[in-house]
Amino acid sequence: MPGPPDVFAGAGDERPGIDELYAHRRLQLVRLALLLVDDLPTAEDVVQDVFAALYRRYGERLSGLDNPDAYLRTSVVNTSRSVLRRRRTVRAHVPEREGHAPSAEEPVLLNEEHGEVIAALHCLTRRQREVLVLRYWSHLSEAQIADTLGLSRGAVKSTASRALAALRRQLEAS
């Protein structure tokens, strides 16, 4: 399954800038981050931070950046990991608040019939969840996932296999 179309494909010498990239990729990246951090406001912050860092590093015209889509995916995954590490540290020191009320936007992004799958997905390890989200949500190839996560293709294959088996067990148990 091919990945998302490249915003810069066929652009010739006139490459679109960061505004066009933001307009074409923001929602897709928010969805990716949401599946990794399980919180819409945090997912939106992750994507905003990634685009701010992209702008600081490469400027308005993204000079010197060969593959902005790969850069953005990798940055969203890495920033999501940082958010989860900080969250884990905070939770170790502060009691969790009671009663999470989902925002009004969450049902739009997460259809009710997928709720069980999303809940089961969050029972997987971080790496398993990242591999499955990048494979089946972002439609990346094994090579693209390996590049994004800094793994070998074999590690991606074995992680995906174990993750699917664990997901299947989790869904059968519920």
Side-chain angles (χ1 to χ4, degrees):
M1 220 178 254
D6 187 356
V7 172
F8 297 127
D13 293 337
E14 191 176 322
R15 291 170 50 108
I18 197 166
D19 293 336
E20 292 87 0
L21 185 63
Y22 183 82
H24 284 88
R25 292 291 183 252
R26 186 191 69 80
L27 184 58
Q28 175 187 8
L29 293 169
V30 167
R31 288 175 178 159
L32 171 62
L34 178 62
L35 290 168
L36 297 174
V37 299
D38 193 31
D39 172 22
L40 183 61
T42 303
E44 290 172 338
D45 289 345
V46 163
V47 172
Q48 194 68 31
D49 290 346
V50 165
F51 273 98
L54 178 70
Y55 178 77
R56 281 191 305 273
R57 185 165 185 185
Y58 293 101
E60 172 66 28
R61 300 309 302 168
L62 305 175
S63 306
L65 181 61
D66 293 330
N67 190 343
D69 287 324
Y71 179 92
L72 287 169
R73 277 192 307 269
T74 300
S75 295
V76 166
V77 169
N78 289 338
T79 305
S80 295
R81 286 176 178 170
S82 295
V83 164
L84 292 173
R85 275 192 302 273
R86 283 191 303 271
R87 190 182 285 173
R88 195 170 35 247
T89 301
V90 168
R91 287 181 180 163
H93 300 289
V94 177
E96 190 172 326
R97 294 186 325 207
E98 291 186 31
H100 167 70
S103 70
E105 294 87 9
E106 279 188 79
V108 173
L109 293 174
L110 300 175
N111 195 334
E112 284 183 35
E113 63 191 37
H114 301 314
E116 286 182 30
V117 174
I118 298 299
L121 188 64
H122 285 286
C123 293
L124 300 176
T125 66
R126 183 197 74 204
R127 180 180 285 177
Q128 288 175 333
R129 183 172 51 250
E130 290 170 353
V131 167
L132 290 185
V133 167
L134 290 172
R135 178 68 183 108
Y136 295 104
W137 178 263
S138 295
H139 305 290
L140 299 184
S141 68
E142 289 170 352
Q144 290 171 314
I145 295 168
D147 185 47
T148 299
L149 298 179
L151 303 171
S152 69
R153 286 182 71 181
V156 170
K157 285 182 181 183
S158 63
T159 301
S161 176
R162 284 190 217 106
L164 287 172
L167 192 61
R168 190 174 303 114
R169 284 191 304 272
Q170 184 73 21
L171 290 171
E172 288 172 354
S174 57

